[in-house]
Amino acid sequence: YYIVCMIIWVIIALNGQKSMGEVSPPTVRIVHSGHACNVEEERHAERVYTIREGETLELTCLVTGHPRPQIRWTKTAGSVSDRFQDSSVFNETLHITKIQRHQGGRYYCKAENGLGSPAIKSIRVDVYFLDDPVVTVHQSVGEAKEQFYYERTVFLRCMANSNPPVRYSWHRGRDVLSQGSDKGVEIYEPFFTQGETKILKLKNLRPQDYANYSCIASVRNVCGISDRNIVFKLTNKTVSPSIKLLVEDPIVVNPGQTVSLVCITTGGEPKPTLSWVSSSDSLPEKSVVKGGTLTLPAITSDEAGVYSCVATNNVGNPAKKSTTIVVRAMKKGRFWITPDPYHNDDNIQIGREVKISCQVEATPPEELTFGWLKNGRALRSSERMVITQTDPDTSPGTTNLDIIDLKFTDFGTYTCVAALKGGGIPEISIDVNISSTTVPPNLTVPRGKSPLVVREGDTVELECLVSGKPKPIILWSRADKEAPMPDGTLQVESYDGVLRIVNVSREMTGSYRCQTSQFNGFNVKPREAVVELIVQYPPTVEPVSLEMRQGLGRPVAMNCRVLRAHPSRVLRYEWRLGNRLLHAGHFDQSDETEYTVKSLNREGWGEYTCDIINEAGAGRCTFLVTGKAYPPEFYYDTYSPLWQNRPRVYGFKLQWTQMNPNAVDRIVAYRLGIRQMGQQRWWEQEITVEGTITKGELITHNLTELIKPEAYEVRLTPITRFGEGDSTIRIITYSGEFHCSFEEEPICMFTQDKNDDFDWTRHSAATRDTKYTPNTGPSGDRSGSKQGFYMYIETSRPRKEGEVARLVSPFFNVAPKNPYGITNPPAYCFSFFFHMYGKHIGTLNALLRQKGQAATEGPTWSLSGNQGDHWKQAKVSIHPTASFQVVLEGIRGPGIEGDIAIDDVTLEEGECRDLPAVSEYRNTVIKYSATIYSLYV
């Protein structure tokens, strides 16, 4: 057998050839694949990509530009989280499998390479869907009585979520219902719904109105979305749901109990569906719903709340019954002592009144009970010992013990005992000691504890000494500004007067207030003190790390700057190369220091550090001075870089420019590494560079003997006197096809025939003048873009009927293994898209030219006449026996409305598959020829 190859371009540059290639700003174009239903243009050149929900969206961002642009996809008109990560992959494809309706919106492709403004293109993705319709039934409110559907006016409303807007139709049994077809039936769309519903009104129900009603929702089969329908059976027993809860309200339980809520239906036709909801939006994770029963095992306080049973059957309004679950709990037991309120004295004195208050948060509050003990014995309310309690419905619950005319015999330990009537919850006991040593609190800051100087990252303890008995809770807060404490709260409680801060930061510098709380102490004016905290930290400097590339003999200046430091005084600096001290000193008024290497030598390469030092430590600037060359930048805009002139191998035209070539010593060579994908071994060679490389200079090296159809990884490393520089890697893949979309001016090396009457024209719909011929020619390229290019024949005057324009492809080579010729010709599939719209359309022919052969038969493919305002595809298999060209020939028709356009020309190995049916073309004569038409070359 024979393996054949195509030559995609004619002239091959010599190995190592260099030419001038300018850097270029990015350009971008979005093309689509995947499962699009339609891609169309709207006003302002907006492209709309229509896709069905659940299908796969693929958008590819095709970019040009050098250096290679970075690509980023973003999305608007959707969730703020719909953001795609930056990527530097060339021709980056955005791939969304099973796309959902919320993922519709405008997608932007942004490409930038630092030259000029970024290139941005967008496309709007419209996701089409149709949900199952829902029918709801209602009676006129003014006529509502016990017999809900007996001789009453009834409304059947049909609703379905969709995009595009849905259309509805109604059937009764097998009969189609329309406005006016039955005097007892009205069909209308409420104005406020804007066509989203369709209401069927049955006026004064008749026996024939009891039937099966079908609502059919349709989006006219767009994107292949089929119609959806639902059937509702209306009878004289149809009624809205009613339910009953077989539980009390409220339900009071202890934590850890299992709670079951039972809901049953007491009416409704069709049979209602039961569901449970809670006031916290979602049911607890461990809850179990079975039928109308909701079970909450081992309930906790967090799961308390309102639970509702909802019954729906789409008739009338849903039925809803609710109950409240209350979980018993007690917490935060506190006390405070109030001296005689009638005397301006904070101390407890014999002969005066003193009040002890006890407070507990309880659920439910009405079950809270209090008891008092003195020295362990029960205490009852009396004239001198008055016990009171707040309203049971008030939370938190509070009880007071007023001791009138305090005596020595009243000294002792008083215990407040809180409990819940239902039991099951442990009691809370609070002891309060009343004695001659019971005195109000006082706060002081220990000597040497303010101001407190610490270093950033340390653990620090701020301390206030609390005297008095009993000792109250201490509250810590910021005294100098309204700012949260280190734990994020505005106040921090402390039982020992100490505020402990772990890993203190510079933002925590400031004044902190310690203050007595009324809880667990005296209910008197708060005592307070202030502690100053000073956090020292090492200098913050810039740059933290910087690479500096420079050639030998050139100066290098390094600058290290202080941004902030505390303390900012007594700053000194030290410059080092490795461990060797180069220079040291102190700052005066400046906040930066500079070190300069006047003439760089080999010993000067290395890591330079500048340490700026204060009492808290040092900040370091690091400079890596190196002679490494910057990486080369592969040129991805090379036209047709791949060529084939032998059966089993192919070649590739590798091109690149050098980033910042003058930043270091002259590049003397490149080390080229290449390996087959999936293999471990690299093959390397050196490419010698003659002379000095200039910025933007395009360097070319031809890779040969690449095995079909393998892909290769190519690594390119510049070499200077310093040694190897930074490498760049790219992937080379084999493509067995030729494709041309006419986007670039060279038009893929197609040429105009010199022996025809006029030429084909490269154009785009965005720039084409249609003033004189508005009823012919395409409105965009084959992909639907007004900015995309295509080729067409302009048939306006002075063109005459029968004149011919020919567009000729580059040569494609068929290389026989047998020197005596090819006995079994290889097959190629030649395809292209054409646009033939206008009443004066002539003929479009596809021909084959073979080198060294005389002309024989006619075209291999031919089509005449108006084909409508659409792009269509043509395919034809050819079997050349020698090097060949394909020719596209346009023949002018009888008038000016006869423009013919072509786009996306492809030639690939193998027979054509999925040939377009002849029935796709209209009012025409079409010819496929198995015989090769040739012109002598």
Side-chain angles (χ1 to χ4, degrees), residues 586-612:
H586 288 81
F587 284 99
D588 295 324
Q589 301 298 322
S590 175
D591 61 355
E592 61 184 30
T593 173
E594 183 175 279
Y595 184 79
T596 301
V597 178
K598 295 181 179 180
S599 179
L600 186 66
N601 55 31
R602 291 183 178 274
E603 290 73 25
W605 282 324
E607 184 177 271
Y608 291 76
T609 59
C610 175
D611 290 332
I612 298 180

mmCIF file of all heavy atoms in Angstrom, residues 586-612:
data_model
loop_
_atom_site.group_PDB
_atom_site.id
_atom_site.type_symbol
_atom_site.label_atom_id
_atom_site.label_comp_id
_atom_site.label_asym_id
_atom_site.label_seq_id
_atom_site.Cartn_x
_atom_site.Cartn_y
_atom_site.Cartn_z
ATOM 1 N N HIS A 586 23.742 53.301 58.911
ATOM 2 C CA HIS A 586 22.526 53.674 59.604
ATOM 3 C C HIS A 586 21.710 54.630 58.740
ATOM 4 O O HIS A 586 22.263 55.392 57.942
ATOM 5 C CB HIS A 586 22.846 54.346 60.949
ATOM 6 C CG HIS A 586 23.357 53.393 61.976
ATOM 7 N ND1 HIS A 586 24.676 52.981 62.006
ATOM 8 C CD2 HIS A 586 22.744 52.770 63.010
ATOM 9 C CE1 HIS A 586 24.864 52.136 63.014
ATOM 10 N NE2 HIS A 586 23.690 51.987 63.649
ATOM 11 N N PHE A 587 20.399 54.612 58.919
ATOM 12 C CA PHE A 587 19.528 55.547 58.222
ATOM 13 C C PHE A 587 19.563 56.896 58.921
ATOM 14 O O PHE A 587 19.582 56.988 60.155
ATOM 15 C CB PHE A 587 18.077 55.033 58.206
ATOM 16 C CG PHE A 587 17.856 53.922 57.224
ATOM 17 C CD1 PHE A 587 17.839 52.607 57.655
ATOM 18 C CD2 PHE A 587 17.673 54.186 55.884
ATOM 19 C CE1 PHE A 587 17.633 51.572 56.769
ATOM 20 C CE2 PHE A 587 17.465 53.153 54.982
ATOM 21 C CZ PHE A 587 17.446 51.846 55.427
ATOM 22 N N ASP A 588 19.549 57.954 58.107
ATOM 23 C CA ASP A 588 19.403 59.294 58.667
ATOM 24 C C ASP A 588 17.960 59.733 58.452
ATOM 25 O O ASP A 588 17.084 59.368 59.208
ATOM 26 C CB ASP A 588 20.402 60.241 57.991
ATOM 27 C CG ASP A 588 21.843 59.839 58.302
ATOM 28 O OD1 ASP A 588 22.074 59.383 59.434
ATOM 29 O OD2 ASP A 588 22.700 59.960 57.419
ATOM 30 N N GLN A 589 17.719 60.509 57.430
ATOM 31 C CA GLN A 589 16.360 60.939 57.117
ATOM 32 C C GLN A 589 15.727 60.073 56.035
ATOM 33 O O GLN A 589 14.510 60.050 55.873
ATOM 34 C CB GLN A 589 16.378 62.411 56.639
ATOM 35 C CG GLN A 589 16.950 63.369 57.652
ATOM 36 C CD GLN A 589 16.135 63.399 58.938
ATOM 37 O OE1 GLN A 589 14.913 63.323 58.920
ATOM 38 N NE2 GLN A 589 16.836 63.494 60.069
ATOM 39 N N SER A 590 16.540 59.368 55.293
ATOM 40 C CA SER A 590 16.028 58.589 54.171
ATOM 41 C C SER A 590 15.370 57.301 54.657
ATOM 42 O O SER A 590 15.629 56.821 55.770
ATOM 43 C CB SER A 590 17.181 58.251 53.211
ATOM 44 O OG SER A 590 16.738 57.409 52.173
ATOM 45 N N ASP A 591 14.514 56.749 53.808
ATOM 46 C CA ASP A 591 13.878 55.472 54.122
ATOM 47 C C ASP A 591 14.307 54.378 53.153
ATOM 48 O O ASP A 591 13.642 53.364 53.020
ATOM 49 C CB ASP A 591 12.344 55.604 54.099
ATOM 50 C CG ASP A 591 11.825 56.030 52.732
ATOM 51 O OD1 ASP A 591 12.639 56.322 51.835
ATOM 52 O OD2 ASP A 591 10.583 56.083 52.569
ATOM 53 N N GLU A 592 15.425 54.589 52.444
ATOM 54 C CA GLU A 592 15.901 53.570 51.509
ATOM 55 C C GLU A 592 17.415 53.594 51.447
ATOM 56 O O GLU A 592 18.075 54.574 51.810
ATOM 57 C CB GLU A 592 15.296 53.790 50.111
ATOM 58 C CG GLU A 592 15.654 55.127 49.483
ATOM 59 C CD GLU A 592 14.958 55.321 48.153
ATOM 60 O OE1 GLU A 592 13.835 54.781 47.964
ATOM 61 O OE2 GLU A 592 15.533 56.003 47.297
ATOM 62 N N THR A 593 17.971 52.476 50.968
ATOM 63 C CA THR A 593 19.421 52.347 50.798
ATOM 64 C C THR A 593 19.691 51.688 49.448
ATOM 65 O O THR A 593 18.896 50.850 48.983
ATOM 66 C CB THR A 593 20.034 51.520 51.934
ATOM 67 O OG1 THR A 593 21.425 51.268 51.645
ATOM 68 C CG2 THR A 593 19.348 50.183 52.090
ATOM 69 N N GLU A 594 20.805 52.078 48.820
ATOM 70 C CA GLU A 594 21.125 51.564 47.478
ATOM 71 C C GLU A 594 22.544 51.022 47.463
ATOM 72 O O GLU A 594 23.455 51.560 48.114
ATOM 73 C CB GLU A 594 20.976 52.674 46.437
ATOM 74 C CG GLU A 594 21.213 52.202 45.011
ATOM 75 C CD GLU A 594 20.936 53.291 43.975
ATOM 76 O OE1 GLU A 594 19.752 53.491 43.646
ATOM 77 O OE2 GLU A 594 21.904 53.924 43.532
ATOM 78 N N TYR A 595 22.717 49.941 46.706
ATOM 79 C CA TYR A 595 24.046 49.374 46.495
ATOM 80 C C TYR A 595 24.223 49.154 44.999
ATOM 81 O O TYR A 595 23.340 48.610 44.326
ATOM 82 C CB TYR A 595 24.220 48.048 47.237
ATOM 83 C CG TYR A 595 25.611 47.476 47.116
ATOM 84 C CD1 TYR A 595 26.650 47.963 47.893
ATOM 85 C CD2 TYR A 595 25.886 46.455 46.208
ATOM 86 C CE1 TYR A 595 27.924 47.449 47.775
ATOM 87 C CE2 TYR A 595 27.152 45.937 46.080
ATOM 88 C CZ TYR A 595 28.183 46.440 46.867
ATOM 89 O OH TYR A 595 29.447 45.937 46.739
ATOM 90 N N THR A 596 25.384 49.576 44.463
ATOM 91 C CA THR A 596 25.620 49.510 43.026
ATOM 92 C C THR A 596 26.876 48.707 42.737
ATOM 93 O O THR A 596 27.937 48.926 43.354
ATOM 94 C CB THR A 596 25.764 50.921 42.427
ATOM 95 O OG1 THR A 596 24.578 51.666 42.688
ATOM 96 C CG2 THR A 596 25.997 50.847 40.926
ATOM 97 N N VAL A 597 26.756 47.775 41.786
ATOM 98 C CA VAL A 597 27.915 47.081 41.224
ATOM 99 C C VAL A 597 28.264 47.815 39.941
ATOM 100 O O VAL A 597 27.474 47.828 38.986
ATOM 101 C CB VAL A 597 27.590 45.603 40.941
ATOM 102 C CG1 VAL A 597 28.804 44.916 40.316
ATOM 103 C CG2 VAL A 597 27.169 44.894 42.215
ATOM 104 N N LYS A 598 29.420 48.488 39.905
ATOM 105 C CA LYS A 598 29.749 49.360 38.768
ATOM 106 C C LYS A 598 29.985 48.576 37.487
ATOM 107 O O LYS A 598 29.600 49.013 36.402
ATOM 108 C CB LYS A 598 30.973 50.208 39.107
ATOM 109 C CG LYS A 598 30.727 51.190 40.261
ATOM 110 C CD LYS A 598 31.955 52.028 40.543
ATOM 111 C CE LYS A 598 31.678 53.015 41.682
ATOM 112 N NZ LYS A 598 32.872 53.856 41.995
ATOM 113 N N SER A 599 30.650 47.440 37.588
ATOM 114 C CA SER A 599 30.925 46.632 36.400
ATOM 115 C C SER A 599 30.812 45.158 36.799
ATOM 116 O O SER A 599 31.665 44.658 37.546
ATOM 117 C CB SER A 599 32.317 46.946 35.850
ATOM 118 O OG SER A 599 32.590 46.146 34.699
ATOM 119 N N LEU A 600 29.792 44.511 36.318
ATOM 120 C CA LEU A 600 29.520 43.140 36.730
ATOM 121 C C LEU A 600 30.555 42.183 36.150
ATOM 122 O O LEU A 600 30.835 42.211 34.945
ATOM 123 C CB LEU A 600 28.103 42.738 36.274
ATOM 124 C CG LEU A 600 27.597 41.390 36.751
ATOM 125 C CD1 LEU A 600 27.417 41.396 38.267
ATOM 126 C CD2 LEU A 600 26.267 41.049 36.072
ATOM 127 N N ASN A 601 31.126 41.344 37.005
ATOM 128 C CA ASN A 601 32.011 40.273 36.551
ATOM 129 C C ASN A 601 31.410 38.928 36.970
ATOM 130 O O ASN A 601 30.348 38.871 37.594
ATOM 131 C CB ASN A 601 33.421 40.455 37.106
ATOM 132 C CG ASN A 601 33.417 40.569 38.630
ATOM 133 O OD1 ASN A 601 32.574 39.982 39.306
ATOM 134 N ND2 ASN A 601 34.368 41.324 39.169
ATOM 135 N N ARG A 602 32.075 37.864 36.626
ATOM 136 C CA ARG A 602 31.533 36.540 36.909
ATOM 137 C C ARG A 602 31.350 36.319 38.409
ATOM 138 O O ARG A 602 30.416 35.651 38.837
ATOM 139 C CB ARG A 602 32.451 35.455 36.324
ATOM 140 C CG ARG A 602 32.456 35.418 34.800
ATOM 141 C CD ARG A 602 33.318 34.278 34.274
ATOM 142 N NE ARG A 602 33.286 34.215 32.815
ATOM 143 C CZ ARG A 602 32.362 33.567 32.113
ATOM 144 N NH1 ARG A 602 31.408 32.918 32.757
ATOM 145 N NH2 ARG A 602 32.386 33.549 30.800
ATOM 146 N N GLU A 603 32.258 36.872 39.215
ATOM 147 C CA GLU A 603 32.133 36.700 40.658
ATOM 148 C C GLU A 603 30.959 37.511 41.222
ATOM 149 O O GLU A 603 30.541 37.314 42.360
ATOM 150 C CB GLU A 603 33.437 37.110 41.368
ATOM 151 C CG GLU A 603 34.608 36.178 41.140
ATOM 152 C CD GLU A 603 35.174 36.296 39.729
ATOM 153 O OE1 GLU A 603 35.006 37.379 39.112
ATOM 154 O OE2 GLU A 603 35.764 35.308 39.240
ATOM 155 N N GLY A 604 30.453 38.454 40.434
ATOM 156 C CA GLY A 604 29.360 39.304 40.904
ATOM 157 C C GLY A 604 27.985 38.692 40.731
ATOM 158 O O GLY A 604 26.993 39.240 41.239
ATOM 159 N N TRP A 605 27.901 37.598 40.006
ATOM 160 C CA TRP A 605 26.621 36.905 39.914
ATOM 161 C C TRP A 605 26.329 36.207 41.245
ATOM 162 O O TRP A 605 27.215 35.653 41.894
ATOM 163 C CB TRP A 605 26.646 35.875 38.794
ATOM 164 C CG TRP A 605 26.483 36.485 37.412
ATOM 165 C CD1 TRP A 605 25.711 37.535 37.068
ATOM 166 C CD2 TRP A 605 27.149 36.065 36.224
ATOM 167 N NE1 TRP A 605 25.827 37.812 35.736
ATOM 168 C CE2 TRP A 605 26.703 36.915 35.176
ATOM 169 C CE3 TRP A 605 28.067 35.055 35.920
ATOM 170 C CZ2 TRP A 605 27.136 36.791 33.864
ATOM 171 C CZ3 TRP A 605 28.492 34.927 34.615
ATOM 172 C CH2 TRP A 605 28.034 35.785 33.599
ATOM 173 N N GLY A 606 25.070 36.233 41.658
ATOM 174 C CA GLY A 606 24.705 35.549 42.889
ATOM 175 C C GLY A 606 23.541 36.238 43.577
ATOM 176 O O GLY A 606 22.852 37.100 43.009
ATOM 177 N N GLU A 607 23.356 35.880 44.868
ATOM 178 C CA GLU A 607 22.236 36.411 45.639
ATOM 179 C C GLU A 607 22.711 37.499 46.582
ATOM 180 O O GLU A 607 23.504 37.244 47.488
ATOM 181 C CB GLU A 607 21.549 35.284 46.418
ATOM 182 C CG GLU A 607 20.304 35.729 47.173
ATOM 183 C CD GLU A 607 19.605 34.581 47.881
ATOM 184 O OE1 GLU A 607 18.745 33.942 47.250
ATOM 185 O OE2 GLU A 607 19.942 34.319 49.056
ATOM 186 N N TYR A 608 22.201 38.724 46.356
ATOM 187 C CA TYR A 608 22.511 39.859 47.207
ATOM 188 C C TYR A 608 21.354 40.033 48.197
ATOM 189 O O TYR A 608 20.177 39.924 47.827
ATOM 190 C CB TYR A 608 22.662 41.138 46.394
ATOM 191 C CG TYR A 608 23.886 41.176 45.512
ATOM 192 C CD1 TYR A 608 23.940 40.448 44.322
ATOM 193 C CD2 TYR A 608 24.999 41.937 45.860
ATOM 194 C CE1 TYR A 608 25.061 40.479 43.497
ATOM 195 C CE2 TYR A 608 26.133 41.989 45.048
ATOM 196 C CZ TYR A 608 26.151 41.251 43.873
ATOM 197 O OH TYR A 608 27.267 41.288 43.069
ATOM 198 N N THR A 609 21.698 40.323 49.466
ATOM 199 C CA THR A 609 20.663 40.584 50.468
ATOM 200 C C THR A 609 20.937 41.904 51.147
ATOM 201 O O THR A 609 22.094 42.298 51.338
ATOM 202 C CB THR A 609 20.607 39.468 51.527
ATOM 203 O OG1 THR A 609 21.881 39.372 52.174
ATOM 204 C CG2 THR A 609 20.213 38.141 50.904
ATOM 205 N N CYS A 610 19.852 42.602 51.511
ATOM 206 C CA CYS A 610 19.938 43.813 52.309
ATOM 207 C C CYS A 610 19.047 43.618 53.522
ATOM 208 O O CYS A 610 17.822 43.497 53.389
ATOM 209 C CB CYS A 610 19.490 45.033 51.498
ATOM 210 S SG CYS A 610 19.429 46.554 52.471
ATOM 211 N N ASP A 611 19.632 43.551 54.711
ATOM 212 C CA ASP A 611 18.879 43.415 55.955
ATOM 213 C C ASP A 611 18.728 44.785 56.590
ATOM 214 O O ASP A 611 19.740 45.468 56.874
ATOM 215 C CB ASP A 611 19.590 42.469 56.918
ATOM 216 C CG ASP A 611 19.543 41.022 56.446
ATOM 217 O OD1 ASP A 611 18.580 40.679 55.746
ATOM 218 O OD2 ASP A 611 20.474 40.260 56.774
ATOM 219 N N ILE A 612 17.493 45.218 56.843
ATOM 220 C CA ILE A 612 17.212 46.459 57.556
ATOM 221 C C ILE A 612 16.707 46.063 58.938
ATOM 222 O O ILE A 612 15.720 45.332 59.070
ATOM 223 C CB ILE A 612 16.188 47.313 56.790
ATOM 224 C CG1 ILE A 612 16.783 47.690 55.418
ATOM 225 C CG2 ILE A 612 15.816 48.554 57.579
ATOM 226 C CD1 ILE A 612 15.867 48.532 54.564
#
